Amino acid sequence: MSAPANTGPVSIEDARIAPKPPLRRFHQARWDEPLLFELGTPGTRGVAVPAPEVPLDDSLPEALRRKQAPGLPEMSQLHVLRHYLRLSQENLGVDLNIDVGQGTCTMKYSPKVNDRFVRDHRVSELHPLQDDSTVQGVLEVMYHLEKMLAEISGMDRVSLQPGAGSAAIYTNIAMIRAYFASRGELEQRDEVITTIFSHPSNAACAKTAGFKVITLYPDADGYPDIEALKAAVGPRTAALMITNPEDTGIFNSRIAEFVDIVHEAGGLCAYDQANANGILGITRARAAGFDMCHFNLHKTFSTPHACGGPAAGASGVSDKLVPFLPRPTVEFDGTRYYLDDDRPESVGKIRPFYGVVPNLVRAYAWVMSLGAEGLREVAEIAVLNNNYLMKKILEIRGVSAPYAEGKRRIEQVRYSWEELHKDTGVHSEEIGVRAADFGTHYWTSHHPYVVPEPMTLEPTESYSRQDLDEYAAILAEVAREAYEDPETVRSAPHNSTIHQIRHETLDDPKTWAVTWRAYRRKILGQ
Amino acid sequence: MVNPVAGLGGRVGLKGSDGPDVQARARELGAVPRASERAAAALEELKARVGAAVVLTAAGPMGEDAVRAAGLEPDVRYTPDASDGPDRADASGTTAADTVAAARALARHVDLLLFAGGDGTARDVLDAVGASVPVLGVPTGVKMHSAVFGVGPRAAGEVAARVATTRAFTEAEVMDLDEEAVRSGRVSARLYGHLLVPDVPVRVQQRKVGSSAADPYAVGGIAAELAGRVGAGQLVLGPGGTTRAVAAALGVDVPVMGVNVLRDGRFFAADVNAAELLRLVTDDDWTGGTWIAVTPIGGQGFLLGRGNQQIAPEVLRAVGPDRLLAVATEAKLAALGGRPLLLDTGDPGLDGVLAGYRTVITGRGRTARYPVQGA
């Protein structure tokens, strides 16, 4: 694999005499904290729950009644609070570190003021089964957010129902399937084309929906191979599902040609816009001819991520696919907003009710606070930040940016530590763990692991030049250590909470334990 | 300089040609030396690009014959000492010592030492001349792990011609593959040293990267897809870690380097050579259909003609181009960095038929369309 030459590599001798960069001193709290279930003391109580006013035996069906009390830990409120505060101190939260290392996740600042809207009782105390007439405000927000996302993407309608990015990708393939079924072509069109650097959910969702998947690889210049696409399309093609810019940060400027080739073969084109942060307000899915697209509101539109409070996705479609949108849709008749469940060709529900409403409110507030010009400025700063950081990172010995050599990237870069690994034996993952000793981290790569010793960085618009300088200095310091004192890197972390994780226990269903019950059975042997 | 016995073990399934015993066994099995022929192809390409030239070389099958075959004028600077054995003049008796001596004799006088051979020859050249002169290998061995060879004979000639105008060189790895270990089922290559080669990356064969086929989920998917396509048919399984793992996923244990044959999902024949294979794929008594599954060499991208010469052109023609199935993990394909898969069956016409965008099976219901071209 070719890689651009580093500009001005630092030799070991140079690095030894160079002053250490002014790195922040950091030491994370490390509590010897047992699991919550191991903390309970029988008889301790957190809340005195009032006795039921009617006997439960009469109101609960037999099948729902417990035969014995649940095995919950018995704890006081203080002890529960203390337990979780300690755990929170053992985390590297998004607001605590320079979170540019979670590439492809678009870790931008989620404005706290938007949380206040969500916590307001007018949002937090709504119930999804309330009558439309009592939730006009939130329906209005959803209606207008849909209009704004349609404008941003160029699509005709948008569904806000998907719970996150992969749910939105699944929504799109479900609509593709419904579209061809309605035309009697589903049996014939059983192939979906994607690229190796598109998000793997595109291939996964297509397979889940019953399609065969054909993957295109980069050509010698690092762009998706358009000749391979021409060889792959045909009467069996149902769709192209493609991310652009790809997870390498490389923008395929021939994307409209890709779309034309698939359209000529009778297929649909779905644009995975999980990586939209660098093109927001600059180009639109519709401009390249796409039939549908999706956004991750928890990435580009600032709402918290899946593990940090539920995510949210949005699927946009052109007119011919509108009948297949998930139901219900949010409509406006000129006087009132209402939910339309009477959609016979709809793919049905992707998740219960209407979507992750708190995040829709946050995304609405974020777009309204920026306006059209502000959205474009977000993209411009994100691209500028990324290319500034890329220049600094490529000055570090042992790192490269494979594919599309010498070309600029959009909003992120998948780097490779292959050279450093060959020189020192230190792996990318070990460098990332050592970075935790400096109060930050990074993420390597999606499956499949195609870039050797990968590292994916995405600085977004939220981070200042000083932040990026500090982050690059941390990686430069760890790289220097790898060359001079690799054992320090390999045995990391030293100042952080978590020690080496045994991956095999996470990879093997026989040993992973995500519940207390599974932990007791698989780990404790009880 | 030609190592006349390089590649002798290929089509007869011996995984290498190191040492007189193996060479003798290869000849018993009907192996025909092809090194001189391939060296001549490289020289023809050189001649087409630079015109008439004097080529310093070693006597007879060690180079002189190939130079004459290419229509160039030989200037013989090394002759094996005939007093060492009666069979030396016909090349069957040349040894590694001759390679070293010839390389030394030529190196002092040339801009580029073009040698025809495999990994063993490359190691001998390294021992003889080190980095004192740029070298380039014409690939004629069985399986070449070193990064000092042109991707094919003609590509080697093309690169050699460029040296006349572009004098850019780079160090490239010479690998040491333990052939004994390979015969016993293990592939283990270690770095032997570096030679100086012309810096023309696309045309110089990349070093083999250890197979990433260990991913059991990917390989299981490939196996399932393959089983679905082949059904109860006859499956010729090329050598390699991926194909071996695929066989294991199908419940069949096969050696890592040989060409093996399955019928109706069950083991049928192990480690077959080209003649045996041709008999099996043209077996009139077998009516279940025949497929060939091969995996590219990681890092180099060779699909045919490296390490699987037993799957000879006549075998491929008998089975048909549509029934040649390529299998690889996604990571293995991506590690090629956009370089095509390569063919060097020894039959350029067949390479042309097999070239183009081919389907590569990467998992259950998952394929890639990937460029394949003649080396």
Side-chain angles (χ1 to χ4, degrees):
Chain A
M1 183 178 307
S2 61
N6 293 350
T7 51
V10 180
S11 74
I12 293 177
E13 289 71 22
D14 292 344
R16 278 210 183 111
I17 54 169
K20 273 193 173 187
L23 297 177
R24 196 185 299 275
R25 288 164 63 86
F26 171 81
H27 202 300
Q28 192 161 25
R30 191 186 289 170
W31 297 98
D32 185 12
E33 186 69 5
L35 292 173
L36 189 68
F37 285 91
E38 297 168 318
L39 284 172
T41 307
T44 310
R45 208 161 54 180
V47 182
V49 182
E53 290 170 10
V54 291
L56 285 179
D57 284 358
D58 297 340
S59 54
L60 272 181
E62 180 68 27
L64 294 181
R65 287 182 218 153
R66 282 186 172 280
K67 303 286 180 286
Q68 56 195 42
L72 295 172
E74 297 171 63
M75 297 176 72
S76 72
Q77 289 191 32
L78 171 62
H79 288 100
V80 173
L81 179 65
R82 195 165 67 195
H83 174 73
Y84 284 110
L85 276 176
R86 286 177 175 176
L87 294 190
S88 76
Q89 292 181 343
E90 295 186 318
N91 258 318
L92 265 186
V94 59
D95 293 331
L96 192 63
N97 82 112
I98 303 167
D99 207 359
V100 310
Q102 196 75 19
T104 77
C105 292
T106 317
M107 302 305 290
K108 60 176 66 181
Y109 175 62
S110 300
K112 299 309 159 208
V113 66
N114 296 346
D115 287 341
R116 293 186 62 178
F117 302 140
V118 170
R119 290 195 185 123
D120 186 283
H121 69 93
R122 284 167 290 183
V123 176
S124 65
E125 292 182 15
L126 296 181
H127 193 281
L129 292 178
Q130 276 178 246
D131 188 81
D132 293 357
S133 64
T134 67
V135 289
Q136 285 292 297
V138 82
L139 289 180
E140 184 179 353
V141 166
M142 290 164 70
Y143 183 84
H144 286 291
L145 177 61
E146 180 190 324
K147 291 272 180 257
M148 294 188 296
L149 294 174
E151 178 69 23
I152 290 166
S153 63
M155 293 296 159
D156 296 311
R157 287 293 304 261
V158 173
S159 170
L160 302 173
Q161 196 181 80
S166 293
I169 295 172
Y170 187 78
T171 305
N172 285 349
I173 189 68
M175 288 191 281
I176 289 166
R177 192 173 53 187
Y179 172 79
F180 285 117
S182 76
R183 297 161 60 95
E185 293 178 48
L186 187 57
E187 212 162 300
Q188 169 202 330
R189 295 191 180 273
D190 64 349
E191 292 179 349
V192 167
I193 301 168
T194 186
T195 69
I196 193 71
F197 286 122
S198 288
H199 192 286
S201 279
N202 289 282
C205 289
K207 279 208 69 182
T208 304
F211 291 92
K212 296 188 174 75
V213 177
I214 300 171
T215 305
L216 311 180
Y217 284 72
D219 61 18
D221 295 326
Y223 295 94
D225 189 340
I226 197 164
E227 297 303 322
L229 176 69
K230 289 175 187 168
V233 294
R236 291 177 66 178
T237 304
L240 172 72
M241 301 185 80
I242 193 167
T243 309
N244 192 37
E246 297 195 294
D247 283 353
T248 49
I250 296 167
F251 187 85
N252 175 8
S253 56
R254 298 177 74 181
I255 191 69
E257 288 176 65
F258 275 64
V259 171
D260 287 345
I261 290 166
V262 174
H263 279 166
E264 274 170 32
L268 293 172
C269 295
Y271 196 157
D272 175 344
Q273 296 209 271
N275 297 342
N277 206 43
I279 56 175
L280 211 52
I282 294 170
T283 187
R284 308 197 295 178
R286 195 60 173 274
F290 279 93
D291 305 292
M292 58 214 306
C293 70
H294 94 268
F295 292 113
N296 297 40
L297 302 184
H298 52 285
K299 294 182 178 179
T300 315
F301 295 89
S302 96
T303 79
H305 281 60
C307 295
S315 285
V317 295
S318 60
D319 272 333
K320 67 180 173 190
L321 290 162
V322 168
F324 308 104
L325 280 170
R327 61 183 173 81
T329 51
V330 182
E331 308 290 345
F332 182 57
D333 67 5
T335 55
R336 70 180 187 97
Y337 298 92
Y338 64 98
L339 295 167
D340 179 10
D341 231 334
D342 183 20
R343 305 182 64 81
E345 290 191 278
S346 165
V347 296
K349 285 187 183 299
I350 295 301
R351 74 184 305 283
F353 304 112
Y354 330 114
V356 184
V357 171
N359 273 350
L360 303 181
V361 173
R362 286 187 182 98
Y364 174 82
W366 190 78
V367 174
M368 290 297 284
S369 70
L370 285 163
E373 286 180 15
L375 292 180
R376 187 184 172 101
E377 196 178 351
V378 161
E380 288 169 350
I381 296 173
V383 174
L384 202 57
N385 270 359
N386 184 45
N387 284 281
Y388 176 79
L389 183 65
M390 183 176 175
K391 179 155 191 321
K392 299 213 68 140
I393 295 295
L394 291 181
E395 286 168 5
I396 298 172
R397 185 179 183 195
V399 69
S400 64
Y403 298 104
E405 193 174 329
K407 294 284 196 308
R408 295 216 181 273
R409 303 299 199 265
I410 303 292
E411 87 299 5
Q412 66 188 348
V413 183
R414 183 154 295 161
Y415 298 93
S416 172
W417 288 105
E418 188 179 24
E419 186 188 325
L420 179 138
H421 173 66
K422 277 185 186 160
D423 292 343
T424 67
V426 172
H427 287 286
S428 174
E429 198 162 295
E430 293 167 325
I431 296 171
V433 172
R434 175 61 176 151
D437 282 337
F438 297 90
T440 188
H441 76 120
Y442 69 70
W443 176 72
T444 53
S445 166
H446 281 128
H447 168 88
Y449 238 54
V450 292
V451 169
E453 303 298 334
M455 162 177 80
T456 312
L457 308 183
E458 181 185 10
T460 77
E461 72 282 9
S462 297
Y463 299 95
S464 67
R465 182 173 165 177
Q466 288 77 8
D467 289 336
L468 302 182
D469 287 344
E470 182 178 341
Y471 192 86
I474 290 168
L475 290 186
E477 172 63 6
V478 178
R480 186 189 67 78
E481 289 178 340
Y483 276 99
E484 292 178 15
D485 178 17
E487 203 41 44
T488 296
V489 181
R490 283 210 198 94
S491 55
H494 307 287
N495 297 336
S496 180
T497 303
I498 303 295
H499 282 276
Q500 306 280 333
I501 293 169
R502 285 170 51 212
H503 276 257
E504 61 274 19
T505 61
L506 300 173
D507 293 340
D508 184 355
K510 290 194 186 76
T511 51
W512 70 41
V514 292
T515 63
W516 171 240
R517 191 179 293 178
Y519 180 76
R520 284 182 61 184
R521 182 162 46 85
K522 295 179 181 176
I523 308 297
L524 302 180
Q526 295 173 356
Chain B
M1 184 188 68
V2 176
N3 172 5
V5 296
L8 210 51
R11 288 196 188 172
V12 291
L14 291 179
K15 294 106 192 175
S17 318
D18 289 359
D21 294 347
V22 173
Q23 288 157 19
R25 174 81 186 121
R27 284 176 203 279
E28 276 169 34
L29 288 168
V32 180
R34 290 177 195 273
S36 194
E37 189 185 307
R38 290 170 69 90
L43 291 168
E44 278 168 15
E45 191 67 33
L46 176 70
K47 185 188 173 195
R49 289 167 185 270
V50 301
V54 176
V55 180
L56 275 58
T57 186
M62 282 197 72
E64 184 184 0
D65 297 350
V67 175
R68 287 191 199 284
L72 289 163
E73 187 189 333
D75 176 353
V76 176
R77 296 297 181 99
Y78 175 80
T79 305
D81 188 346
S83 64
D84 288 352
D87 54 355
R88 291 171 64 82
D90 72 353
S92 61
T94 60
T95 63
D98 288 310
T99 303
V100 170
R104 286 201 179 127
L106 295 169
R108 273 172 276 156
H109 310 289
V110 297
D111 297 316
L112 178 75
L113 176 60
L114 199 61
F115 71 92
D119 274 340
T121 319
R123 290 195 297 275
D124 293 339
V125 169
L126 177 60
D127 290 343
V129 303
S132 66
V133 61
V135 307
L136 181 66
V138 179
T140 68
V142 176
K143 190 170 183 183
M144 281 136 294
H145 292 248
S146 305
V148 299
F149 296 98
V151 292
R154 293 198 174 273
E158 181 189 333
V159 172
R162 278 200 221 176
V163 172
T165 50
T166 315
R167 304 195 59 83
F169 301 103
T170 184
E171 281 195 344
E173 298 107 328
V174 176
M175 305 302 285
D176 181 11
L177 182 76
D178 182 345
E179 288 186 3
E180 276 305 315
V182 167
R183 286 191 196 96
S184 62
R186 287 173 286 125
V187 178
S188 115
R190 66 181 178 85
L191 183 63
Y192 187 78
H194 291 85
L195 280 167
L196 207 56
V197 299
D199 190 10
V200 191
V202 181
R203 304 303 278 166
V204 177
Q205 179 175 313
Q206 304 290 304
R207 179 174 62 86
K208 181 186 190 300
V209 174
S211 177
S212 48
D215 179 352
Y217 306 106
V219 172
I222 291 170
E225 180 68 21
L226 209 50
R229 290 186 183 219
V230 175
Q234 172 171 249
L235 177 62
V236 176
L237 214 46
T242 307
T243 41
R244 190 185 195 210
V246 163
L250 294 172
V252 181
D253 186 24
V254 300
V256 70
M257 291 290 280
V259 171
N260 300 284
V261 179
L262 278 57
R263 282 186 176 178
D264 194 9
R266 281 186 288 277
F267 184 78
F268 185 75
D271 204 6
V272 292
N273 62 34
E276 291 165 342
L277 194 52
L278 186 61
R279 197 164 41 73
L280 289 175
V281 303
T282 54
D283 180 358
D284 288 338
D285 293 338
W286 178 256
T287 54
T290 297
W291 285 260
I292 298 173
V294 287
T295 190
I297 297 183
Q300 296 176 342
F302 271 100
L303 198 58
L304 289 168
R306 294 290 181 278
N308 55 14
Q309 287 93 335
Q310 303 96 311
I311 303 172
E314 44 279 26
V315 172
L316 290 160
R317 286 192 188 277
V319 173
D322 294 341
R323 293 208 166 175
L324 173 68
L325 307 173
V327 304
T329 60
E330 290 183 328
K332 195 182 208 180
L333 280 185
L336 295 172
R339 281 178 288 115
L341 296 179
L342 298 171
L343 304 166
D344 185 16
T345 61
D347 176 346
L350 178 63
D351 289 351
V353 170
L354 297 174
Y357 279 86
R358 290 192 73 92
T359 293
V360 180
I361 296 169
T362 56
R364 181 83 171 121
R366 295 204 59 168
T367 58
R369 290 290 180 281
Y370 204 88
V372 179
Q373 69 179 45

